[in-house]
Amino acid sequence: MLAHDGHNCLDVDECLENNGGCQHTCVNVMGSYECRCKEGFFLSDNQHTCIHRLEEGLSCMNKDHGCSHICKEAPKGSVACECRPGFELAKNQRDCILTCNHGNGGCQHSCEDTAEGPECSCHPQYKLHTDGKSCLEREDTALEMTENNATSVADGDKRVKRRLLMETCAVNNGGCDRTCKDTSTGVHCSCPVGFTLQLDGKTCKDIDECQIRNGGCDHFCKNTVGSFDCSCTKGFKLLTDEKSCQDVDECSLDRTCDHSCINHPGTFACACNKGYTLYGFTHCGDTNECSINNGGCQQVCANTVGSYECQCHPGYKLHWNKKDCVEVKGFLSTSVSPHVSLHCGKSGGGDRCFLRCHSGIHLSSGLQEAYSVTCGSSSPLRSKQQKSNDSAFGDVTTIRTSVTFKLNEGKCSLKKAELFPEGLRPALPEKHSSVKESFRYANLTCSPGKQVPGPPGRSSTPKEMFITVEFERETYQKEVTASCDLSCIVKRTEKRLRKAIRTLRKAAHREQFHLQLSGMDLDVTKKSPRTSEQQAESCGVGQGHVENQCVSCRAGTYYDGAQERCILCPNGTFQNEEGQITCQPCPRPENLGSLKTPEAWNVSECGGLCQPGEYSADGFKPCQLCALGTFQPEAGRTSCFPCGGGLPTKHLGATSFQDCETRVQCSPGHFYNTTTHRCIRCPAGTYQPEFGKNNCISCPGNTTTDFDGSTNITQCKNRRCGGELGDFTGYIESPNYPGNYPANTECTWTINPPPKRRILIVVPEIFLPIEDDCGDYLVMRKTSSSNSVTTYETCQTYERPIAFTSRSKKLWIQFKSNEGNSARGFQVPYVTYDEDYQELIEDIVRDGRLYASENHQEILKDKKLIKALFDVLAHPQNYFKYTAQESREMFPRSFIRLLRSKVSRFLRPYK
């Protein structure tokens, strides 16, 4: 930078700004800077990150490789040396020779490259110092100036004229700090933008723009020499005017939340569907309701994905409250009416199939566009661990079967079907029915498969889908004849079901498979519209329009297929779940008049129910208070739960176990054992955040805890990680990210790019605890061998981003944590690119300007921008998906200037 005297150049200390982008130590040198590594590490090719040095090993891994600056792997185990910018490789191919391009060769004035190195010279009226670099003013010039000062007053005019002739921009820049211009009255000094001329008419002083209206910045203003930089608070991004800040809509990004995402200024929040619990800030796992007081079930609680159900022992049936069990008189009625039926008949040269749900209908939405429909109720004898498809009890046999088929076009969406002209829908004639089966229970699930890449420059083609239908039916002893016993009946039924499954599969592939709920015909999938068809998007079943968006009908309402909107539950009915197509009747017709509201969202809204702490024979008034030593937290129940262990309660009508008078008060992370009357630590995989509980809550989904005695849901962590990564783009992510990763975990990933492709990696930020003495680390190298070429290695937290290319054509990546402290971890994007661009990519990622500006650092942390950059790097033809305007609005001008100069030099090297 130019000194205040206007003719000397001062070195800029790059290490003062973000440590120069160096991972370990930054050392300032004249006209540049160098990154250096701590003992036991050596500098990577990108000249910023450090790699652990092994005492043994070949090539660049050996500290005696002999290269003065940069060591690169060469074929057949040898090494090739390179020099840093501003240096040239010596004839011995190891040492580096300084050139004028590095700090002006150390010269104060002029520098010229020669075979022996830089040669310095000085401007007129200066002579070279004995050090061969500095310049001193000549003695004859100083003597002439002394004589001029001694001129008599009589020669005043001559003195002025001589002074004006001597004061020229050719000598000492006229004394100006910056710009000098010769005029008829002498020299005229001026300053560049960002500086102001001082009263001496020579000196330029930096203007602190941040003092005036915060420099026009929305959030933060930082003054720099000759300019200023604006920056934004976390959760906001700087717009291309480089002053305004805009909220980052994290919900518009892929992979932000598993289920629902709610954007807030500067942040966001994730929410899960009913039956799921949030963990790791963004993930949703199935809630095991049965781990909390047995789900409130009187007898058996069976957890299901996204829900649960209470079941009864043989000889009992489920009460209307779905929790209690009532004894069945004359056990095992054989006249159970079917809840589900499957009818298939000939139509248009093939079969058309209808799956009709008569009762027990339940809709639920899963991840992305997935959904499931449950009809009827599963057998109480059903077991998830059961390997057999059949189960028998007494004179009843339960037969289960399922089918999964793949459809290659469209998406999962329950939409009203327009099968026939209105009012003309014919019934399938009995004689033309090829399949007519009844079932106790059916579950239909539709889930999307992988997106199929489309042609270059076009959007991807529709997703493939997987539809799974599970059926369950029962056969009874009364069907047995003299010629066919129960086993024979089962075999005949199974044969008939196999035929039905084949017919159903054919119908599904011909798009002739439909669902009928409460008399409404529905398509199970939706075709993707052709590009020429611009049709208004209609909402799925169980959803209504709110402000031009499709939202699920809330609890207390149901979806009316005729009106295609959400309707309030009428008097005498209730609905406690979202997105349903019917409301359930209140248990007692005589209580319709005591309904609290026509928008009943819970059975407790139906009048006459026993309240928590009460019970009766049928759950309705008149009710009795729970006796001492018992409690009941729910309304409409037929009994109360005992405290256990002979424990009394503090009063009649207790509503929770915390009302039981335990001998000790258990703290969070423990549960009270009513047998031993001691507090027991919650086992691994469970937690308890409250005092005085008699159970621990199971961690959601596939998560578990690091240790026993956990007190919070945040201690439930998903340990899944590792695997083979994609050919073009992807993420290396610590388990449970963005939540803290688990202890004692080991993850291994591999990236094997297609031929003639190289790997580019961006580490936006990484959080590893520094207290553990490198107990947790991330390493990237060629193979699992510790002697193989290492690209990146760290065991520390770095919030400053870094980009680098892989030192090998494939990567083996390992993350390991110990049992000590945990941290947030990392989400590292990578892309593979055509090796023809290797020189350009390395030129960009090695440039310190990529990391010097806070705005540039934010680009490397911006998931949306990195995704766009990687998309073009992986598939250059995708560049044409973005208009010039979109590109300009995406990146700051300084970033575009940086890339443009390098791309131009790469594409036109001789221009």
Side-chain angles (χ1 to χ4, degrees), residues 473-484:
R473 66 165 295 161
E474 294 175 340
T475 57
Y476 299 95
Q477 186 69 38
K478 71 169 189 175
E479 300 177 51
V480 172
T481 62
S483 60
C484 189

Side-chain angles (χ1 to χ4, degrees), residues 157-190:
D157 291 342
K158 292 181 180 179
R159 185 177 72 244
V160 171
K161 184 180 290 185
R162 184 177 296 170
R163 184 177 63 80
L164 290 174
L165 289 173
M166 286 190 61
E167 193 172 53
T168 170
C169 295
V171 179
N172 294 335
N173 198 41
C176 299
D177 250 10
R178 294 300 172 96
T179 306
C180 179
K181 183 178 181 181
D182 287 311
T183 68
S184 58
T185 58
V187 298
H188 175 71
C189 300
S190 60

Side-chain angles (χ1 to χ4, degrees), residues 1-10 12 169 172-181 188-198 200-207 224-227:
M1 61 179 288
L2 196 65
H4 288 300
D5 62 11
H7 45 77
N8 281 311
C9 291
L10 299 178
V12 175
C169 295
N172 294 335
N173 198 41
C176 299
D177 250 10
R178 294 300 172 96
T179 306
C180 179
K181 183 178 181 181
H188 175 71
C189 300
S190 60
C191 300
V193 175
F195 294 85
T196 181
L197 193 65
Q198 299 300 287
D200 62 3
K202 306 281 187 180
T203 309
C204 292
K205 183 181 178 183
D206 173 54
I207 299 172
T224 60
V225 177
S227 186

Side-chain angles (χ1 to χ4, degrees), residues 663-689:
R663 298 180 188 177
V664 290
Q665 175 81 329
C666 294
S667 60
H670 298 75
F671 72 97
Y672 187 85
N673 186 310
T674 56
T675 303
T676 61
H677 296 285
R678 294 172 55 195
C679 294
I680 309 295
R681 290 172 66 86
C682 289
T686 66
Y687 65 99
Q688 180 50 259

Side-chain angles (χ1 to χ4, degrees), residues 79-94:
V79 299
C81 300
E82 291 183 0
C83 297
R84 290 193 290 270
F87 292 81
E88 288 182 350
L89 198 63
K91 291 181 180 179
N92 63 10
Q93 299 298 305
R94 291 286 186 271

Side-chain angles (χ1 to χ4, degrees), residues 248-315:
V248 176
D249 184 4
E250 294 88 354
C251 296
S252 66
L253 306 174
D254 293 337
R255 299 159 49 91
T256 299
C257 297
D258 280 357
H259 286 185
S260 304
C261 182
I262 305 150
N263 189 56
H264 300 292
T267 185
F268 69 99
C270 295
C272 297
N273 297 338
K274 184 176 180 182
Y276 292 82
T277 301
L278 189 69
Y279 71 90
F281 301 112
T282 64
H283 304 293
C284 295
D286 170 55
T287 305
N288 183 2
E289 294 88 351
C290 297
S291 67
I292 308 170
N293 196 31
N294 196 40
C297 301
Q298 189 180 44
Q299 293 185 3
V300 181
C301 181
N303 187 54
T304 61
V305 177
S307 186
Y308 74 104
E309 59 182 29
C310 296
Q311 299 174 354
C312 299
H313 298 310

